[in-house]
Amino acid sequence: MRAVTVIPGVPESLRLRDVPKPSPGKGQALLKPIRVGICGTDKEIIEGKYGKAPEGSEYLILGHEAVASVAELGDGVDNVSVGDIVVPTVRRPFNCDLPVDFCPVGHYLEHGIWGLHGHAAEYSVTDARYLVKVPKDLLDVAVLTEPLSVVEKGIDMGLRIGQARFDWKPRTALVLGAGPVGLLATMVLRLMGISTVTTATRPPESLKAKLVLELGGKYVDSAVERVTGEFDIVVEATGSPQVAIEGLNHLAPNGVYVLLGVYPSGGSMSEVGGLMTSMVLNNKVIVGSVNAGIKHFEMALEHLRRAKEEFNNWPLKLITKRATLENYQEAYTWTHDDIKTVLEINPA
């Protein structure tokens, strides 16, 4: 079978290979991926900055954002059936008795990222316990479930922490960044009825700005205009340390700051002392989310359903580029105007 692969640690080793078709073992499911989403993590792996091949393999099959059909079942699987449409979660624990998305670094493997082959292939295999069924009417947007699950977890944890202190009812939100994660965060907040401002460095006539407006949010082009005011929730979705630090200035007393990125070293630290003092004196909270479990995958599917109904199939508009295995390299090139690229593997 064909699979999109890299050699971890070797920059620009992206290749389409013929590899052995996997077989499901006990408790596993053989999947026939329908489409796979591409994200910044894939870019870092391709650049040789991250990633680990499975034990005994020189290459890693990419693809951690996937929607697939169940092709075959190993012994002992009773939570899914052949023909079901599913999304697989990403992490698999070892030496960890916590929920898998709370296991510390070094105690999990990740499909398509760290130690487990991913789903950018004609077939893939995974532990069936970590599959989430997808209603057929969400098949067209279900590839967004994984990145949306990370958003769901971050906002859900933030709300729970805020409400644990007192009867906290957030009314305003600021989203920093209008890539796929920032736009999905805007979608979730608007579905919750929270007044939301989203900011990015794209002009008001850009598709990203228009998508914010379609949700009833306000868009600010941060290249020419500064955001003013304080917000009950601030969601950081750029992955920029400097933007993340500056965003703390906009967090209201008792507010919650949600970090949805992995941040490289760098950024000015000159104002951190004052910002931390403000955090302490005003009972502010910071939470982070980069992975999610089944609960937040299910929440993501419900919000995708609602967004399709309430915002005129809005989630589908996030998919701005499609490629196939025949022209797979196009899926792994990035421009400023792309939002979500998907690789069509076995169209349903």
Side-chain angles (χ1 to χ4, degrees), residues 66-346:
V67 58
S69 61
V70 177
E72 187 181 335
L73 297 174
D75 292 339
V77 176
D78 58 10
N79 62 311
V80 293
S81 302
V82 171
D84 283 348
I85 304 299
V86 295
V87 287
T89 66
V90 179
R91 287 185 179 173
R92 303 292 178 265
F94 65 88
N95 297 329
C96 178
D97 56 5
L98 296 170
V100 62
D101 52 315
F102 288 97
C103 290
V105 173
H107 291 271
Y108 56 78
L109 304 176
E110 295 179 308
H111 278 295
I113 301 174
W114 195 263
L116 287 176
H117 285 313
H119 308 287
E122 291 176 301
Y123 290 92
S124 62
V125 70
T126 190
D127 187 329
R129 293 177 296 166
Y130 297 98
L131 295 174
V132 181
K133 292 183 184 180
V134 175
K136 288 195 176 352
D137 61 344
L138 293 181
L139 175 58
D140 57 341
V141 296
V143 72
L144 300 171
T145 306
E146 194 280 333
L148 179 52
S149 72
V150 175
V151 173
E152 299 283 5
K153 179 181 174 182
I155 293 176
D156 182 45
M157 288 195 303
L159 291 173
R160 288 174 179 271
I161 292 170
Q163 291 161 356
R165 299 175 296 178
F166 62 97
D167 187 21
W168 186 65
K169 292 184 172 63
R171 294 178 173 83
T172 60
L174 171 65
V175 178
L176 303 171
V181 171
L183 289 169
L184 289 168
T186 303
M187 181 192 84
V188 170
L189 293 164
R190 291 298 301 132
L191 286 170
M192 292 177 175
I194 296 174
S195 176
T196 304
V197 175
T198 300
T199 180
T201 57
R202 306 304 296 156
E205 63 271 17
S206 68
L207 175 59
K208 293 178 179 180
K210 292 176 181 177
L211 288 171
V212 171
L213 298 178
E214 287 182 20
L215 293 170
K218 177 183 177 182
Y219 179 80
V220 173
D221 177 3
S222 59
V224 299
E225 182 181 355
R226 292 185 64 85
V227 174
T228 59
E230 294 182 327
F231 301 83
D232 299 321
I233 301 173
V234 177
V235 177
E236 206 301 305
T238 69
S240 163
Q242 191 61 44
V243 173
I245 290 171
E246 292 172 357
L248 288 169
N249 288 308
H250 296 290
L251 190 61
N254 303 308
V256 175
Y257 198 115
V258 181
L259 298 174
L260 297 180
V262 176
Y263 298 85
S265 299
S268 171
M269 302 295 287
S270 60
E271 300 298 324
V272 168
L275 291 170
M276 294 301 102
T277 297
S278 176
M279 296 288 294
V280 172
L281 296 181
N282 290 289
N283 299 296
K284 300 176 184 180
V285 174
I286 299 177
V287 297
S289 174
V290 74
N291 184 265
I294 287 176
K295 168 188 171 181
H296 292 107
F297 272 68
E298 292 172 341
M299 289 174 64
L301 287 167
E302 173 59 18
H303 276 142
L304 287 172
R305 181 194 64 77
R306 285 186 56 197
K308 288 189 69 171
E309 295 174 355
E310 298 177 28
F311 296 118
N312 191 29
N313 207 15
W314 185 91
L316 190 60
K317 300 174 186 178
L318 297 184
I319 300 175
T320 53
K321 188 192 330 184
R322 298 175 188 269
T324 66
L325 289 178
E326 283 69 30
N327 64 339
Y328 73 98
Q329 290 157 316
E330 292 184 17
Y332 297 92
T333 59
W334 284 263
T335 74
H336 237 349
D337 294 315
D338 292 332
I339 299 178
K340 175 56 69 176
T341 297
V342 300
L343 189 65
E344 301 280 355
I345 299 177
N346 294 296

